[in-house]
Amino acid sequence: MTVMRYAEALNAALREEMQRDPSVFLFGEDIGRYGGVFKVSKGLRDEFGDARVRDTPISEQALTAMAVTAAMSGTRPVLEIMYADFLPLSLDALVNQASVFTYLWEGQVDIPFVLRTQGGGGVGTGAQHAKSLDAMVCHIPGIKVVAPATPADAKGLLKSAIRDRQPVVFLEHKLLYNTRGEVPDGDDVLVPIGKAKTVVEGKHVSIFASSKMVIEAENAAKLLAKDGVEAEVIDLRTLRPLDLDAIRRSIAKTNHAVVVNEGWTFCGYASELSATIMEHCFDDLDAPVARVAMPDMAIPYSEPLEMAVLPNAVKIAAAAKKALA
Amino acid sequence: MINAPSTDELKDIHHKMVVTRELEEVLGAYAKEGKTRGPIHRCDGQEAVGVAACAALRADDYVCTTHRGHHVYVGKGLTTRGIVAEIFGRETGYCKGRGGHMLLGDVKTGMLGGNAIVGAGIPAATGMALSMQILKQDRVSMVVFGDGAAQTGICHEAMNMAGLWKLPVIFVLENNQYGLTVRQEVQSPVEDLSVRAAGYAMPGEIVDGNDVEAVYRAVAAAAERARRGDGPTLIEAKTYRVKGFSTSDMGGYQSEEEMAPWLERDPIKLSAEKLSALVGADTVAAIEAAARAEVAQAFETALSDPFPTFEIHAPSAAYSETK
Ligand SMILES: Cc1ncc(C[n+]2csc(CCOP(=O)(O)OP(=O)(O)O)c2C)c(N)n1
Ligand SMILES: [Mg+2]
């Protein structure tokens, strides 16, 4: 084990996969010489050269479309989209190209590319640089979506994503890059896509979260413990395909569910979790599923306003108590 | 002459153009009887662009095309039977009936593929060229796209990157003067779209899109450049759309006076004249008869092929287990 920051763990995953497979290449804005605005690709251009670690013009639409067809024709592109807020520009390539041809041309082509991006609020980046648009990408068939919360999962899942035959959208969080954690040593330690992880065991209520919301859920579990409530926290890790077994197992034990996502509430990822639980776990539920997500509005800039809209431990704990009442 | 097609190539091109035309005409007849599904975008009068451009490439080069891509399908060497079967939704179609006439793809012939999002083929081919450059291959990619597609934002983004990184891609702008019902001058402030090449530091050239040799030579030269590592080329092939936008077009905006000179300059007629001078009228007639027979046979076989059966697509699943 080595203690690493989340950004360093991602960097290690990229380096190892590029060493392992010469068809892996990185492209995106400011990722080359500067090493990425969040320094995830730091040092990689020096090691691999600027053909494989490529600074690009500000052209998200074409870049995403190019990632799709580069992947069809023999390489494994890893595209960095600087902010998740820019994902709307990537949507045609995901919705009308990657998703469609995964099915239409199945058996003829693989589409092994990774779109890395980061979202989330909390540091005053304002309404166009702080969103979590998980639901928007999770809506698309044929595309996997991963959102790791820890350095170890960040590394293991990014390696799995790069080796996957299908398109993977890899969602990072700006407030996680500096978090530290133990990361297993070794170039072949992968974390499988599609497997959730229980991070806190409990028997009264299940809290399902991903990315930075896992930390909020863990803190909520601590708050709840003071009142004698034993919350179970499940880190989904992969948003699509969703680990339904893990969800079922936990709810069979706790009979209560709180679903958390940093994105908008209406038609959001938490809504999907809620519908999934109703459909598959209804007989095990003692109360309606409680949803904790962003209010349906633009994210304000001023600190007290931004903090008011973001889901957090206190809101999660309150939702859990309501579900248990 | 440098980069000119050989006589054998001219014969093959003529054959493929007649196959394409016959395919369009038979499809048109089926559409009239209500026996096709969805709109069909015929490329009558534009066969020289797709067929001759593909003829100038190698089998392992990639091409991308549009909703109006039958000439590219045939040009890149797809079988007529497989194309027809796909259009009629059969199991034996290139995509087992999943794609239809606009979204056909065949990796073996390097045809990847049709695309019904206007402009999408342009970054698609550029992305393939990026792969080829990174893998240090000497292949090229080509996209055939419309004058309408030339107005999209992704066209600018992709051409900029292609020029910047000297990617081995050939942009064949098939200017048939219409984007759906709207004439080109209502969509663009410049008449010759090839002038835009200057902004991307690539050569831009205008060719007669109804002249097989002109198209072939321009693409062959562009492919040479691209393989040398000298980057992309924009070729604007001027042509005309003679059968309306699609089989569901109600018309009323393309005049007969406007169309007449283009019908005079039908690319198959021009090709037949040139080829007759080289190999004699009998040989040309035999080529055409063989092409028509091939299409008739393709329809006969494909239409008695089975339909596919529906299966849920597991790689698209929302859940990581299937219980
Ligand atoms: C992004 C997008 N916008 C609009 C359409 C509808 N549409 C389909 S073809 C077409 C015209 C395209 O013109 P052009 O690129 O010149 O191709 P042509 O039909 O002339 O071959 C339009 C507007 C579409 N399919 N995709
Ligand atoms: Mg047009």
Side-chain angles (χ1 to χ4, degrees), chain A residues 21-25 51-52 54 69-77 112, chain B residues 62 127-139 167-168:
Chain A
D21 181 350
S23 75
V24 176
F25 76 96
R52 282 179 74 199
R54 200 176 280 240
T69 53
M72 282 180 190
S73 49
T75 49
R76 290 182 178 268
Chain B
Y62 277 123
M128 292 173 189
L130 178 58
S131 244
M132 291 163 181
Q133 185 185 72
I134 282 169
L135 299 173
K136 300 190 170 72
Q137 299 170 335
D138 73 338
R139 301 157 91 180
L167 297 178

Short mmCIF file of all heavy atoms in Angstrom, two decimals, chain A residues 21-25 51-52 54 69-77 112, chain B residues 62 127-139 167-168:
data_model
loop_
_atom_site.label_atom_id
_atom_site.label_comp_id
_atom_site.label_asym_id
_atom_site.label_seq_id
_atom_site.Cartn_x
_atom_site.Cartn_y
_atom_site.Cartn_z
N ASP A 21 0.27 -0.37 -22.73
CA ASP A 21 -0.39 -0.48 -24.03
C ASP A 21 -0.10 0.77 -24.87
O ASP A 21 -0.61 1.85 -24.58
CB ASP A 21 -1.91 -0.64 -23.80
CG ASP A 21 -2.69 -0.78 -25.09
OD1 ASP A 21 -2.11 -0.57 -26.17
OD2 ASP A 21 -3.89 -1.10 -25.01
N PRO A 22 0.70 0.62 -25.92
CA PRO A 22 1.07 1.80 -26.72
C PRO A 22 -0.10 2.40 -27.49
O PRO A 22 0.04 3.49 -28.05
CB PRO A 22 2.13 1.25 -27.70
CG PRO A 22 1.97 -0.23 -27.69
CD PRO A 22 1.37 -0.61 -26.36
N SER A 23 -1.25 1.72 -27.50
CA SER A 23 -2.39 2.32 -28.21
C SER A 23 -3.20 3.25 -27.32
O SER A 23 -4.13 3.90 -27.78
CB SER A 23 -3.28 1.21 -28.79
OG SER A 23 -4.03 0.60 -27.77
N VAL A 24 -2.82 3.34 -26.04
CA VAL A 24 -3.50 4.29 -25.15
C VAL A 24 -2.90 5.68 -25.37
O VAL A 24 -1.68 5.83 -25.38
CB VAL A 24 -3.33 3.89 -23.66
CG1 VAL A 24 -3.96 4.94 -22.75
CG2 VAL A 24 -3.94 2.51 -23.41
N PHE A 25 -3.75 6.67 -25.61
CA PHE A 25 -3.24 8.04 -25.68
C PHE A 25 -4.19 8.99 -24.99
O PHE A 25 -5.37 8.69 -24.80
CB PHE A 25 -2.96 8.45 -27.14
CG PHE A 25 -4.18 8.78 -27.96
CD1 PHE A 25 -4.61 10.10 -28.13
CD2 PHE A 25 -4.91 7.77 -28.59
CE1 PHE A 25 -5.72 10.41 -28.90
CE2 PHE A 25 -6.03 8.07 -29.37
CZ PHE A 25 -6.44 9.40 -29.52
N ALA A 51 2.69 13.41 -29.00
CA ALA A 51 1.71 12.73 -29.87
C ALA A 51 0.72 11.95 -29.01
O ALA A 51 -0.47 11.91 -29.31
CB ALA A 51 2.42 11.78 -30.84
N ARG A 52 1.21 11.39 -27.91
CA ARG A 52 0.34 10.56 -27.06
C ARG A 52 -0.22 11.31 -25.87
O ARG A 52 -1.09 10.79 -25.17
CB ARG A 52 1.09 9.31 -26.59
CG ARG A 52 1.17 8.23 -27.66
CD ARG A 52 1.93 7.03 -27.15
NE ARG A 52 1.17 6.23 -26.21
CZ ARG A 52 1.71 5.36 -25.36
NH1 ARG A 52 3.03 5.20 -25.32
NH2 ARG A 52 0.95 4.66 -24.55
N ARG A 54 -1.61 14.91 -25.71
CA ARG A 54 -1.81 15.94 -26.71
C ARG A 54 -2.67 17.08 -26.20
O ARG A 54 -3.81 16.88 -25.80
CB ARG A 54 -2.51 15.27 -27.90
CG ARG A 54 -2.41 15.96 -29.21
CD ARG A 54 -3.06 15.11 -30.30
NE ARG A 54 -2.21 14.03 -30.78
CZ ARG A 54 -1.81 13.89 -32.05
NH1 ARG A 54 -2.19 14.75 -32.96
NH2 ARG A 54 -1.06 12.87 -32.40
N THR A 69 -14.41 7.54 -32.76
CA THR A 69 -13.94 6.84 -33.97
C THR A 69 -12.47 6.46 -33.88
O THR A 69 -12.05 5.47 -34.50
CB THR A 69 -14.19 7.68 -35.24
OG1 THR A 69 -13.61 8.97 -35.05
CG2 THR A 69 -15.68 7.79 -35.49
N ALA A 70 -11.70 7.22 -33.10
CA ALA A 70 -10.31 6.77 -32.87
C ALA A 70 -10.38 5.42 -32.18
O ALA A 70 -9.64 4.48 -32.51
CB ALA A 70 -9.56 7.80 -32.03
N ALA A 71 -11.31 5.29 -31.23
CA ALA A 71 -11.47 4.03 -30.50
C ALA A 71 -11.91 2.90 -31.43
O ALA A 71 -11.52 1.75 -31.25
CB ALA A 71 -12.48 4.20 -29.37
N MET A 72 -12.70 3.24 -32.44
CA MET A 72 -13.15 2.20 -33.38
C MET A 72 -12.02 1.73 -34.28
O MET A 72 -12.14 0.71 -34.94
CB MET A 72 -14.23 2.78 -34.31
CG MET A 72 -15.57 2.90 -33.71
SD MET A 72 -16.61 3.60 -35.02
CE MET A 72 -18.07 3.95 -34.06
N SER A 73 -10.98 2.54 -34.38
CA SER A 73 -9.97 2.23 -35.40
C SER A 73 -8.60 1.95 -34.78
O SER A 73 -7.59 2.29 -35.38
CB SER A 73 -9.91 3.35 -36.44
OG SER A 73 -9.81 4.61 -35.83
N GLY A 74 -8.59 1.35 -33.60
CA GLY A 74 -7.33 0.75 -33.15
C GLY A 74 -6.63 1.38 -31.96
O GLY A 74 -5.65 0.83 -31.47
N THR A 75 -7.10 2.54 -31.49
CA THR A 75 -6.45 3.12 -30.31
C THR A 75 -7.41 3.11 -29.12
O THR A 75 -8.60 2.81 -29.27
CB THR A 75 -5.99 4.58 -30.57
OG1 THR A 75 -7.09 5.30 -31.14
CG2 THR A 75 -4.81 4.62 -31.51
N ARG A 76 -6.86 3.45 -27.95
CA ARG A 76 -7.67 3.57 -26.74
C ARG A 76 -7.51 4.99 -26.21
O ARG A 76 -6.67 5.25 -25.37
CB ARG A 76 -7.21 2.55 -25.69
CG ARG A 76 -7.56 1.13 -26.07
CD ARG A 76 -7.16 0.12 -25.02
NE ARG A 76 -7.59 -1.19 -25.46
CZ ARG A 76 -8.77 -1.74 -25.14
NH1 ARG A 76 -9.60 -1.12 -24.33
NH2 ARG A 76 -9.11 -2.91 -25.61
N PRO A 77 -8.33 5.90 -26.72
CA PRO A 77 -8.20 7.30 -26.33
C PRO A 77 -8.74 7.55 -24.92
O PRO A 77 -9.74 6.95 -24.52
CB PRO A 77 -9.08 8.05 -27.34
CG PRO A 77 -9.58 7.04 -28.31
CD PRO A 77 -9.39 5.70 -27.72
N PRO A 112 -13.46 1.41 -27.35
CA PRO A 112 -12.84 1.49 -26.04
C PRO A 112 -12.25 2.87 -25.73
O PRO A 112 -11.05 3.05 -25.74
CB PRO A 112 -11.72 0.44 -26.12
CG PRO A 112 -11.32 0.47 -27.57
CD PRO A 112 -12.55 0.85 -28.36
N TYR B 62 -10.13 4.08 -44.47
CA TYR B 62 -11.49 4.20 -43.94
C TYR B 62 -12.26 5.31 -44.63
O TYR B 62 -11.68 6.34 -44.98
CB TYR B 62 -11.45 4.53 -42.44
CG TYR B 62 -11.26 3.32 -41.55
CD1 TYR B 62 -10.20 3.25 -40.66
CD2 TYR B 62 -12.16 2.26 -41.59
CE1 TYR B 62 -10.03 2.15 -39.82
CE2 TYR B 62 -12.00 1.16 -40.77
CZ TYR B 62 -10.94 1.11 -39.88
OH TYR B 62 -10.79 0.03 -39.08
N GLY B 127 -11.14 11.59 -36.40
CA GLY B 127 -10.74 10.73 -35.27
C GLY B 127 -10.02 9.47 -35.75
O GLY B 127 -9.05 9.02 -35.14
N MET B 128 -10.49 8.91 -36.86
CA MET B 128 -9.81 7.73 -37.41
C MET B 128 -8.41 8.10 -37.87
O MET B 128 -7.45 7.35 -37.67
CB MET B 128 -10.62 7.17 -38.58
CG MET B 128 -11.94 6.57 -38.13
SD MET B 128 -12.96 6.11 -39.53
CE MET B 128 -14.49 5.74 -38.65
N ALA B 129 -8.29 9.27 -38.48
CA ALA B 129 -6.98 9.73 -38.93
C ALA B 129 -6.05 9.95 -37.73
O ALA B 129 -4.84 9.69 -37.81
CB ALA B 129 -7.12 11.02 -39.73
N LEU B 130 -6.61 10.40 -36.63
CA LEU B 130 -5.80 10.58 -35.42
C LEU B 130 -5.25 9.23 -34.96
O LEU B 130 -4.07 9.10 -34.61
CB LEU B 130 -6.66 11.23 -34.33
CG LEU B 130 -6.03 11.47 -32.96
CD1 LEU B 130 -4.78 12.35 -33.07
CD2 LEU B 130 -7.04 12.14 -32.01
N SER B 131 -6.10 8.21 -34.98
CA SER B 131 -5.65 6.85 -34.63
C SER B 131 -4.52 6.41 -35.57
O SER B 131 -3.51 5.87 -35.13
CB SER B 131 -6.81 5.87 -34.80
OG SER B 131 -7.16 5.30 -33.58
N MET B 132 -4.73 6.63 -36.85
CA MET B 132 -3.72 6.20 -37.84
C MET B 132 -2.39 6.89 -37.59
O MET B 132 -1.33 6.28 -37.70
CB MET B 132 -4.21 6.53 -39.25
CG MET B 132 -5.40 5.68 -39.68
SD MET B 132 -6.25 6.42 -41.09
CE MET B 132 -7.58 5.24 -41.33
N GLN B 133 -2.45 8.18 -37.23
CA GLN B 133 -1.21 8.90 -36.96
C GLN B 133 -0.53 8.37 -35.72
O GLN B 133 0.68 8.15 -35.69
CB GLN B 133 -1.50 10.40 -36.81
CG GLN B 133 -0.25 11.23 -36.67
CD GLN B 133 -0.56 12.69 -36.40
OE1 GLN B 133 -1.01 13.05 -35.32
NE2 GLN B 133 -0.35 13.54 -37.39
N ILE B 134 -1.31 8.12 -34.67
CA ILE B 134 -0.72 7.65 -33.41
C ILE B 134 -0.13 6.25 -33.59
O ILE B 134 0.92 5.94 -33.05
CB ILE B 134 -1.78 7.71 -32.30
CG1 ILE B 134 -1.90 9.17 -31.85
CG2 ILE B 134 -1.40 6.82 -31.11
CD1 ILE B 134 -3.05 9.47 -30.96
N LEU B 135 -0.79 5.42 -34.38
CA LEU B 135 -0.30 4.06 -34.61
C LEU B 135 0.76 4.01 -35.72
O LEU B 135 1.24 2.95 -36.09
CB LEU B 135 -1.47 3.12 -34.95
CG LEU B 135 -2.54 2.98 -33.85
CD1 LEU B 135 -3.73 2.17 -34.36
CD2 LEU B 135 -1.95 2.33 -32.60
N LYS B 136 1.08 5.19 -36.26
CA LYS B 136 2.10 5.32 -37.32
C LYS B 136 1.79 4.42 -38.52
O LYS B 136 2.68 3.79 -39.10
CB LYS B 136 3.50 5.02 -36.77
CG LYS B 136 3.91 5.96 -35.63
CD LYS B 136 5.38 5.79 -35.29
CE LYS B 136 5.91 6.85 -34.34
NZ LYS B 136 5.43 6.72 -32.97
N GLN B 137 0.52 4.37 -38.89
CA GLN B 137 0.12 3.60 -40.07
C GLN B 137 0.22 4.49 -41.31
O GLN B 137 0.22 5.70 -41.19
CB GLN B 137 -1.33 3.11 -39.90
CG GLN B 137 -1.51 2.19 -38.71
CD GLN B 137 -2.98 1.91 -38.42
OE1 GLN B 137 -3.86 2.69 -38.75
NE2 GLN B 137 -3.24 0.78 -37.77
N ASP B 138 0.24 3.87 -42.49
CA ASP B 138 0.23 4.71 -43.69
C ASP B 138 -1.16 4.70 -44.35
O ASP B 138 -1.30 4.90 -45.54
CB ASP B 138 1.33 4.30 -44.68
CG ASP B 138 1.00 3.00 -45.38
OD1 ASP B 138 0.18 2.21 -44.84
OD2 ASP B 138 1.56 2.75 -46.46
N ARG B 139 -2.17 4.48 -43.52
CA ARG B 139 -3.53 4.52 -44.04
C ARG B 139 -4.05 5.95 -44.02
O ARG B 139 -3.50 6.81 -43.36
CB ARG B 139 -4.45 3.66 -43.16
CG ARG B 139 -4.04 2.23 -43.08
CD ARG B 139 -4.59 1.64 -41.82
NE ARG B 139 -5.90 1.03 -42.04
CZ ARG B 139 -6.59 0.45 -41.07
NH1 ARG B 139 -6.14 0.44 -39.83
NH2 ARG B 139 -7.74 -0.12 -41.33
N LEU B 167 -3.24 15.64 -39.97
CA LEU B 167 -3.81 14.29 -39.92
C LEU B 167 -4.07 13.77 -41.34
O LEU B 167 -4.41 14.55 -42.24
CB LEU B 167 -5.11 14.30 -39.11
CG LEU B 167 -4.96 14.68 -37.64
CD1 LEU B 167 -6.32 14.69 -36.94
CD2 LEU B 167 -4.00 13.74 -36.91
N PRO B 168 -3.94 12.45 -41.53
CA PRO B 168 -4.13 11.87 -42.86
C PRO B 168 -5.61 11.69 -43.21
O PRO B 168 -6.11 10.58 -43.25
CB PRO B 168 -3.40 10.53 -42.76
CG PRO B 168 -3.52 10.15 -41.31
CD PRO B 168 -3.49 11.45 -40.54
#
